[in-house]
C-alpha cells in the first residue's frame, strides 16, 4: 500500500512569511512543508506538496490522488469558505482528509466561519500556526494505522 501523503496549499499561501505576519506568522510555506515532511518521515510516510492560486489545479491534484495517495492534508486558504468543487473532489477521494489552517478561522470574520471542506474531512486542525503541519501528519499516521 502506498504511504504517500498529498499536502495541498491554496491561494496566497505562497506569500507566507510576508503576508499578514501578525495573523500567519513569519515562517514561509517552504518552512511549513519542511516541518510536514520531517513529521511524515518520522511516521514512515512520503510527502508530495502542491501550492496553487487556482481552484482547477487543486481539483486536478485531488482527482489524480485517487488510487495513488494514501491521504490528503489540505490548507485550502480562502477556497475553504466557498469552493464546492474542492468539496466534491475530496468527497470522491477514498482516503483520510485532514483540513488544516494556520489561524483559527472560527475566531475571525464571520465569512470565515463556514468551511465547505470540513464536511468531507476526517478532522480539522486549526489555530496552532506552523505546529499544525506536524499535528496534521500525526493525525494522518493515526488514521492510516
Ligand atoms: C487560512 C485561513 C483562511 O481563512 C484564509 O483565507 C487563508 C489562510 C489559514 O491557514 O489560517 O488564506 O487557510
Amino acid at each position: 500500500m502506498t504511504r504517500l501523503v498529498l499536502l495541498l496549499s491554496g491561494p496566497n499561501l505562497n506569500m507566507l512569511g510576508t503576508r499578514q505576519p501578525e495573523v500567519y506568522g513569519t515562517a514561509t510555506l517552504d518552512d511549513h512543508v519542511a516541518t510536514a515532511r520531517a513529521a511524515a518521515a518520522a511516521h514512515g510516510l512520503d510527502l508530495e506538496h502542491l501550492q496553487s492560486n487556482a481552484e482547477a489545479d487543486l481539483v486536478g491534484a485531488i482527482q489524480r490522488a485517487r488510487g495513488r495517495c494514501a491521504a490528503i492534508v489540505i490548507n485550502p486558504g480562502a477556497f475553504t469558505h466557498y469552493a464546492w468543487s474542492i468539496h466534491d473532489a475530496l468527497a470522491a477521494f477514498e482516503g483520510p482528509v485532514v483540513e488544516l489552517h494556520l489561524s483559527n478561522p472560527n475566531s475571525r470574520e464571520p465569512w470565515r466561519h463556514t468551511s465547505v471542506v470540513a464536511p468531507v474531512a476526517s478532522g480539522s486542525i486549526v489555530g496552532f500556526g506552523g505546529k499544525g503541519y506536524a499535528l496534521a501528519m500525526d493525525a494522518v499516521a493515526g488514521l492510516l494505522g
Side-chain angles (χ1 to χ4, degrees):
M1 187 190 124
T2 176
R3 299 288 285 175
L4 182 61
V5 178
L6 179 62
L7 174 63
L8 293 174
S9 302
N12 299 306
L13 297 180
N14 55 311
M15 299 198 302
L16 289 175
T18 56
R19 174 195 179 197
Q20 293 183 277
E22 70 284 4
V23 177
Y24 299 115
T26 53
T28 65
L29 183 58
D30 282 350
D31 293 334
H32 295 312
V33 173
T35 297
R37 201 178 293 287
H43 291 292
L45 300 168
D46 290 325
L47 190 82
E48 187 175 291
H49 175 248
L50 172 77
Q51 187 280 328
S52 179
N53 296 321
E55 187 173 341
D57 291 346
L58 298 172
V59 169
I62 295 164
Q63 289 179 1
R64 288 189 299 276
R66 298 177 74 203
R68 196 177 69 84
C69 298
I72 295 176
V73 175
I74 181 166
N75 182 344
F79 287 152
T80 305
H81 313 298
Y82 64 92
W84 289 104
S85 63
I86 291 178
H87 167 109
D88 283 351
L90 290 171
F93 178 73
E94 53 284 293
V97 172
V98 174
E99 177 189 12
L100 171 64
H101 298 284
L102 291 158
S103 68
N104 179 358
N106 301 305
S107 65
R108 300 178 62 194
E109 303 95 317
W111 63 268
R112 293 186 203 271
H113 297 182
T114 296
S115 169
V116 300
V117 170
V120 288
S122 310
S124 304
I125 295 172
V126 306
F128 296 109
K131 288 195 173 70
Y133 284 80
L135 294 172
M137 294 307 146
D138 292 348
V140 161
L143 290 165
L144 292 177

